[in-house]
Amino acid sequence: MHAIVIKNYQRIPFSAIPALPYELFVPVILEELMIDDSCHCVNYVGFPHNDKVQLICCIANDKQHTIYVTSTIVTLNATLPSLTAHKLAFHIFERELNEQFGIQYTDHPWLKPVRYSFNRSDLNKTIANYPFYSIESEELHEVGVGPIHAGIIEPGHFRFICNGEQILHLEIQLGYQHRGIESLFVEKKKILQRATLAENIAGDTVIGHASTFARVWESLCETAVSPALQLERTLALEHERIAIHTGDLSAMCTDLAYQLGSSVFGRLRTPIINYFQEWTGNRFAKGLIRPNKTNFTFTKELATRWHEVISKFEPDFIEMYDMLSDLPSALARMEKTGIVNKETAQTIGMVGMAARASGLTRDIRMSHPEGWTTISHQPVIKRHGDVFSRVQIRKEEALQSIQYIRQIIELLPDADKGITEEKDALPDSFVIGLTEGWRGEICHCAITDKTGNLQCYKIKDPSLHNWLALGLAVRNNEISDFPICNKSFDLSYCGNDL
Amino acid sequence: MFNNLKILHHQGKQFIPDVTKAEAAGIFRGRPVISKASVNTETLTELCPTSAITTNPVSIDLGRCTFCGECAIQFPEKIRFTKDYKLSSNTRNQLIIEEGIEQPITLDADKIRKEIRRLFHHSLKLRQISAGGDNSCEWELNAVGNVNFDIGRFGIEFVASPRHADGIVITGPITQSMAKPLELCYKAVPDPKIIILAGVDAISGGIFEESHALDRSFLVQYPIDLYVPGNPVHPLTFINGIIQLIGLES
Ligand code: SF4
C-alpha cells in the first residue's frame, strides 16, 4: 500500500500513514495519486522526527471525495530532486520545506523563503537582505511598494519591473505578518487558547479557520457533534461569505473610483456584520465557534431577525450590482484585466473563488463535504479569469449563500448547546480537515503523540496557493490596474505568514 | 441619473447622528462589570485564554482581554459585559477594571500632552500601521470612515503617507519583520506626533504575547497616547477614544 485513503476530518492512527523511500514517494505521488485534473495537493507538511523529518503529502481526489495520505522520511538539510519540476503546484510547499528544514531541491526553480519564520533553518536569510529578481535594462524601471501600503491593509512588499506603464514582472514579498501561530498551537495547552488562536489566524476568515480547527479537534477527540451545531456552523460560514464578498465589492468600487458603489456596498456590509454582533456579540463572530459546544445558540428569534435583515439587504445589493455591471466605465476597467486562464490556474494549483473565476471546478463544499452540510452544492463557475469574473463570482456566491442559509434555517432542529464535557485528544492520531472558506480551501492538519499531546499543527490558508496567481495576473497590465487586480483576489497576508 | 437617484433613495438615512450616544447592536461585549460575589477564583483566572483576569481584588485587564465572553458565561453572577463601547484610555492602568467598580472608563486629562489638544483639536491625520494585525482591526478602522460612522466629520482622517500624518495607529502584536518598518514610519511623521494602539494584540500582544516571532521593543521606547481595547476594536470605541483625546466630546 502506497497511500492511505481517508475522508475529510477522519481520524487515523498516525502510524497508519505509509512511509515510503523518497525514490518511491515521488513517482507514487506523480503517477498513482495525481491521476488527473480532479486531484490536487491540499497540503504537504514536514513533521520533525528526532534528527530527521517526515514529509507528509495529502492529495485530494475531488471525483472520489477522498484524500490520499502518504509520507517519506528524509534527513534535515537533505539534497533531493523536487516534485515541483514535474508539477509546479508543489512549488510553494517545497519552498516551505526548504525554509523550515533546509531541504535542498536540485531542480526547484525558485527556493524563495515563504514567511521568514522565526524558527527557519537559515537565520542568515532575512527579509531585509533578500535579493529581488531584477532585469538589467535602460528601458525598464522598478517600482517598490510596501511593506506598509497606502491604505489600511496588512503589510507586504510588491516589487514591479515595468516597461513604461506596463508591468513585465511582479515579485511579491511576504512574511511581515509572521506571528508563530503554528508553534503557539502546540505550546498553548488550553482548548480556549487554541480556539482563540484559530479565530485570529485571519480576522476576515474567523468562521472558516475556527470551524476547521473545531472540527479537527472534535475528530482528534472522537466526539460527535450534533447536527444542529454543524448546521449552525455552516450557516455562520455562509454568512461570513456574504459579509466579505459585499465588503470586497465596496473596496473594488473604491479602487475603480466609483464612489456610489463604494459607499453603498460599504453600508450594505454593515447590517450583515451587525447581525453577527446580534448573534455572537462580535461583528466578526469571534467567540462563536468552540469545539464540542457553542456559547451562542442559534434561536428561532435569531432566524426571524436574519430574514428581516436579508429581506432589506438583498434587493439593495442586487440593485447596486446591476448598476455596477451596466456601467461602461467600470466594465472597461474590469473586463480583460488581470486574467488568469484555466490552464495556468490548474498548473499553479489555484483554489477557491479565484480558481472558479478561471473555470476550475474546485470547491470543498461539493468535493469533500463530509460531516459538514446536507445541502447539495453547485459551485458558481466563470470562464474568463479576469477581474470582472471575480466580481461576478462574489455577487453570485453571496446570493447563493443567502439561499443556503434560507434552507438551513428550515432544516435546523431545535436549539442545541452541544456537549460541554471536554474530552482529551486520542494518542497517535492524524487528522486533516478541509473547509471552503469565502476565499477558498482552508486546510488544517493535526498530529498527536503516544500520550495524546498535540505534536504538530499545520495550517494552510487558501492564499498560500493563490499569491502566485496575482503575480501572473498583472503581467502585461498597466501598473495603475494593480489595485483592482489585487483587490479582486483579496488574498490574506496573515493567513499566508501565520 | 434616475437610477442613481433611486439607489440613493433606497439607502435611506444611514449615518449615526451622534456617535457618542449611539447604541451598539445586539449583545455587544463592552466594558465589563465585576460583582463582589464570591466564586472559585482559581477556576475563574484559569479559564481566561490571555491571563487577563487577576485576583485580590478580581480584575480584568482590558488591554489583555480578547472579549471572548467565556468568563461571563461561566460565572454570570460575577462578571457581566455591558454594551458600553467607550473603552479607551490614555493610561494603561485605567484599562484594569476592578470588582465593584461601575464607573465608565475615562481619559486622564492631566496626562494628555498639551500640544495634542492645541494642535489636533480640529484636524487629525493618522497613518495606520498593521504590524501583524489579523485584518479584523484593519477592516474596522476602514469602517470608521464609512457612511455609518463617518469619522471625517470630526476632521479626523487616515492618510497614505506618514509625512502627511500627525500620528500613527498600530494594530497587531508587532512581528519581528515589522519592527523596523514601524520605526521608520513613525520617524517619518513630523513632530509633534501621537501613537495610538488599537486592539488587544497591539496593547499587550494578546494571544500572541509569548510568541517568539514578536519584537515589541518599539513600545518601550516611545510614549503611547491612547489605548483602544477590542478584538477587533469597534468603530464606536475607536471614534470615541480619539474625540476624547483631542477634546471634542462635550
Ligand atoms: S472575556 Fe476577557 S477576561 Fe473574560 S475570559 Fe475572555 S479574555 Fe478573559
Side-chain angles (χ1 to χ4, degrees):
Chain A
M1 189 185 65
H2 290 151
I4 182 163
V5 187
I6 56 173
K7 293 274 185 189
N8 197 6
Y9 294 107
Q10 183 186 340
R11 188 190 75 87
I12 50 167
F14 179 64
S15 45
I17 300 172
L20 313 174
Y22 192 77
E23 304 77 57
L24 183 59
F25 177 75
V26 172
V28 161
I29 289 175
L30 296 173
E31 288 152 32
E32 287 180 29
L33 308 184
M34 302 274 287
I35 35 175
D36 59 28
D37 285 354
S38 66
C39 301
H40 75 286
C41 178
V42 285
N43 223 342
Y44 181 22
V45 308
F47 174 49
H49 230 278
N50 307 322
D51 55 344
K52 294 215 163 80
V53 47
Q54 183 160 6
L55 309 180
I56 305 161
C57 187
C58 311
I59 308 282
N61 184 320
D62 288 353
K63 270 195 219 138
Q64 291 173 7
H65 315 297
T66 51
I67 305 162
Y68 305 117
V69 184
T70 188
S71 80
T72 182
I73 296 172
V74 300
T75 53
L76 291 174
N77 304 312
T79 302
L80 304 169
S82 73
L83 285 159
T84 309
H86 307 276
K87 293 262 185 218
L88 191 66
F90 282 99
H91 81 99
I92 189 76
F93 297 116
E94 291 190 324
R95 277 169 54 190
E96 193 192 359
L97 293 173
N98 168 260
E99 181 179 16
Q100 276 188 300
F101 304 107
I103 297 172
Q104 296 301 326
Y105 292 101
T106 49
D107 49 1
H108 191 293
W110 195 30
L111 285 171
K112 173 179 174 161
V114 178
R115 56 177 68 101
Y116 299 88
S117 54
F118 74 92
N119 51 1
R120 61 194 182 274
S121 74
D122 183 355
L123 291 173
N124 292 324
K125 279 189 187 167
T126 68
I127 209 160
N129 70 14
Y130 172 76
F132 281 95
Y133 181 70
S134 65
I135 305 176
E136 286 296 320
S137 163
E138 297 241 316
E139 280 150 34
L140 305 178
H141 68 278
E142 276 189 16
V143 180
V145 253
I148 303 172
H149 300 294
I152 309 178
I153 57 168
E154 298 172 74
H157 180 84
F158 299 97
R159 187 71 65 98
F160 299 89
I161 300 174
C162 297
N163 184 1
E165 283 292 292
Q166 198 187 35
I167 302 167
L168 287 187
H169 179 77
L170 162 62
E171 182 167 354
I172 299 168
Q173 173 82 311
L174 298 171
Y176 296 94
Q177 294 281 71
H178 174 64
R179 295 153 290 165
I181 290 192
E182 289 173 340
S183 308
L184 286 173
F185 260 98
V186 176
E187 286 160 24
K188 304 244 178 212
K189 301 293 178 205
K190 295 184 225 163
I191 295 302
L192 184 56
Q193 289 178 323
R194 290 179 179 147
T196 307
L197 277 171
E199 282 175 345
N200 290 289
I201 291 169
D204 54 28
T205 316
V206 170
I207 305 293
H209 277 291
S211 62
T212 308
F213 164 70
R215 292 273 298 132
V216 163
W217 193 257
E218 285 152 4
S219 297
L220 278 180
C221 307
E222 286 198 337
T223 44
V225 292
S226 69
L229 199 54
Q230 283 184 22
L231 280 172
E232 281 179 27
R233 288 177 186 170
T234 311
L235 194 157
L237 189 73
E238 297 305 318
H239 196 75
E240 181 171 81
R241 201 182 309 277
I242 302 167
I244 302 284
H245 281 350
T246 308
D248 275 351
L249 284 172
S250 165
M252 289 289 308
C253 290
T254 309
D255 287 344
L256 289 171
Y258 180 37
Q259 169 65 23
L260 183 71
S262 163
S263 305
V264 172
F265 283 123
R267 90 102 185 132
L268 282 169
R269 171 180 167 264
T270 307
I272 301 296
I273 62 170
N274 276 352
Y275 179 77
F276 260 149
Q277 187 169 299
E278 285 183 42
W279 176 7
T280 72
N282 185 292
R283 303 220 297 171
F284 292 74
K286 287 185 179 178
L288 174 64
I289 307 289
R290 296 288 175 257
N292 300 319
K293 66 165 188 175
T294 176
N295 290 327
F296 304 98
T297 307
F298 192 80
T299 58
K300 293 256 178 318
E301 297 75 58
L302 279 167
T304 314
R305 269 297 291 150
W306 186 84
H307 285 297
E308 275 169 30
V309 169
I310 291 298
S311 66
K312 288 198 192 126
F313 169 89
E314 206 177 5
D316 286 349
F317 178 83
I318 294 170
E319 182 184 45
M320 187 64 246
Y321 181 83
D322 287 348
M323 183 78 190
L324 171 71
S325 63
D326 258 356
L327 213 63
S329 55
L331 290 177
R333 295 283 311 278
M334 297 189 291
E335 283 182 327
K336 300 201 174 75
T337 304
I339 296 174
V340 185
N341 64 30
K342 185 175 175 180
E343 195 191 339
T344 307
Q346 179 71 43
T347 307
I348 64 176
M350 277 173 77
V351 298
M353 148 233 122
R356 296 194 284 280
S358 294
L360 280 194
T361 313
R362 201 164 271 179
D363 192 325
I364 299 299
R365 289 177 290 175
M366 181 185 73
S367 56
H368 303 273
E370 269 70 23
W372 190 240
T373 166
T374 43
I375 288 168
S376 86
H377 168 65
Q378 274 304 320
V380 179
I381 306 291
K382 298 285 159 199
R383 285 177 298 112
H384 297 292
D386 56 2
V387 168
F388 189 48
S389 299
R390 290 185 285 276
V391 164
Q392 287 173 303
I393 287 246
R394 285 167 184 281
K395 174 242 182 178
E396 289 180 33
E397 289 198 346
L399 294 179
Q400 190 184 45
S401 294
I402 290 175
Q403 291 310 327
Y404 288 162
I405 297 179
R406 287 205 172 103
Q407 291 178 42
I408 291 168
I409 288 178
E410 287 301 307
L411 291 170
L412 214 57
D414 275 343
D416 178 353
K417 278 198 174 298
I419 34 164
T420 38
E421 170 210 1
E422 260 178 37
K423 283 213 225 164
D424 290 333
L426 292 167
D428 180 38
S429 303
F430 174 85
V431 176
I432 176 169
L434 294 165
T435 303
E436 189 71 22
W438 68 268
R439 201 179 259 127
E441 174 186 297
I442 292 163
C443 178
H444 291 199
C445 294
I447 299 170
T448 60
D449 67 6
K450 289 194 173 59
T451 55
N453 272 328
L454 194 60
Q455 284 275 288
C456 177
Y457 200 81
K458 282 298 289 177
I459 300 153
K460 187 207 70 183
D461 187 86
S463 308
L464 195 80
H465 293 278
N466 288 1
W467 274 110
L468 180 61
L470 172 63
L472 298 176
V474 297
R475 283 191 179 179
N476 298 323
N477 283 249
E478 291 190 5
I479 193 165
S480 53
D481 279 332
F482 174 71
I484 56 167
C485 293
N486 186 22
K487 194 42 87 176
S488 69
F489 287 91
D490 193 13
L491 300 173
S492 179
Y493 300 78
C494 53
N496 182 89
D497 296 348
L498 298 173
Chain B
M1 182 64 200
F2 188 65
N3 282 344
N4 275 335
L5 289 173
K6 220 165 63 181
I7 289 178
L8 282 175
H9 175 69
H10 287 162
Q11 307 315 308
K13 201 179 99 190
Q14 290 297 330
F15 89 106
I16 299 170
D18 186 350
V19 283
T20 65
K21 298 200 175 67
E23 200 192 335
I27 49 168
F28 179 67
R29 282 186 288 281
R31 176 174 51 85
V33 174
I34 311 169
S35 78
K36 294 259 189 191
S38 74
V39 295
N40 182 339
T41 47
E42 205 177 310
T43 331
L44 177 64
T45 47
E46 185 55 25
L47 75 88
C48 180
T50 48
S51 311
I53 307 178
T54 45
T55 50
N56 287 332
V58 174
S59 25
I60 296 182
D61 179 356
L62 297 189
R64 304 176 78 118
C65 173
T66 63
F67 293 86
C68 68
E70 199 72 32
C71 52
I73 289 159
Q74 296 204 24
F75 293 89
E77 71 284 16
K78 185 76 186 162
I79 294 169
R80 175 172 64 86
F81 281 88
T82 71
K83 281 167 73 167
D84 180 4
Y85 46 74
K86 295 181 187 173
L87 306 172
S88 310
S89 187
N90 58 335
T91 61
R92 187 67 183 76
N93 256 347
Q94 276 263 0
L95 302 183
I96 299 167
I97 311 280
E98 288 182 8
E99 61 187 349
I101 307 288
E102 288 231 27
Q103 272 96 42
I105 302 169
T106 51
L107 269 66
D108 184 342
D110 296 338
K111 295 215 170 100
I112 298 175
R113 285 185 284 136
K114 293 288 165 284
E115 64 263 29
I116 293 182
R117 288 191 170 173
R118 181 164 55 85
L119 293 170
F120 306 140
H121 184 68
H122 292 295
S123 163
L124 177 65
K125 309 287 168 201
L126 297 166
R127 173 63 258 197
Q128 201 275 329
I129 303 161
S130 170
D134 74 355
N135 207 20
S136 57
C137 273
E138 288 75 0
W139 271 97
E140 289 297 52
L141 291 179
N142 275 306
V144 303
N146 73 13
V147 294
N148 305 97
F149 299 106
D150 186 26
I151 200 174
R153 69 180 102 170
F154 301 109
I156 303 163
E157 201 188 339
F158 285 99
V159 292
S161 165
R163 306 233 183 254
H164 302 159
D166 306 310
I168 59 170
V169 180
I170 305 172
T171 56
I174 312 185
T175 58
Q176 278 170 9
S177 300
M178 277 309 287
K180 186 86 192 157
L182 166 64
E183 180 143 25
L184 285 174
C185 186
Y186 176 70
K187 285 187 171 156
V189 177
D191 284 323
K193 50 190 164 184
I194 64 174
I195 303 178
I196 297 166
L197 299 183
V200 60
D201 295 347
I203 299 174
S204 68
I207 193 76
F208 306 108
E209 195 179 357
E210 282 149 27
S211 168
H212 306 291
L214 306 184
D215 176 355
R216 291 173 60 77
S217 53
F218 177 87
L219 300 179
V220 189
Q221 293 174 50
Y222 299 100
I224 307 303
D225 294 292
L226 191 69
Y227 301 91
V228 190
N231 180 30
V233 297
H234 193 282
L236 288 171
T237 311
F238 187 77
I239 296 176
N240 278 282
I242 303 243
I243 62 180
Q244 285 174 325
L245 179 71
I246 60 176
L248 273 182
E249 204 195 33
S250 47

